[in-house]
Amino acid sequence: GSVAGKISEIDVTGGANFAFRVYLQGNMTMCNGGQNWAYLNEADSNYNVYVAQLTVAKLASETVTIFSTNVAGYCQIGYIAVYGS
């Protein structure tokens, strides 16, 4: 799936437990048949860069596009784009 918007919430938990979770304003579904949040696990490729970019986008209230894949009913982030104002 692909959704765009501003980040409303970021949750952080254990490295293999949907470690970094992102919600967009409007609580929209993040991938086909998935949840209203998308995630990365600590073992995911480029994890630190994703986390940094998404955190900065949240703090700057920038629009992001998140592309994710439904993995067992949860939306795993595979690609992001951050748009400056």
Side-chain angles (χ1 to χ4, degrees):
S2 164
V3 294
K6 294 186 179 189
I7 298 170
S8 62
E9 180 180 338
I10 292 174
D11 295 338
V12 179
T13 187
N17 183 28
F18 310 111
F20 187 82
R21 305 172 193 184
V22 177
Y23 299 77
L24 295 183
Q25 292 176 356
N27 240 5
M28 60 188 78
T29 301
M30 300 292 274
C31 65
N32 188 23
Q35 305 296 315
N36 66 338
W37 49 275
Y39 76 94
L40 291 163
N41 280 323
E42 189 175 25
D44 290 337
S45 175
N46 238 3
Y47 173 81
N48 290 331
V49 176
Y50 280 113
V51 168
Q53 288 296 310
L54 290 167
T55 301
V56 167
K58 165 72 170 130
L59 294 172
S61 194
E62 298 291 354
T63 298
V64 299
T65 299
I66 298 176
F67 299 85
S68 59
T69 303
N70 186 321
V71 178
Y74 299 93
C75 304
Q76 185 173 25
I77 297 171
Y79 178 91
I80 64 168
V82 179
Y83 303 95
S85 49

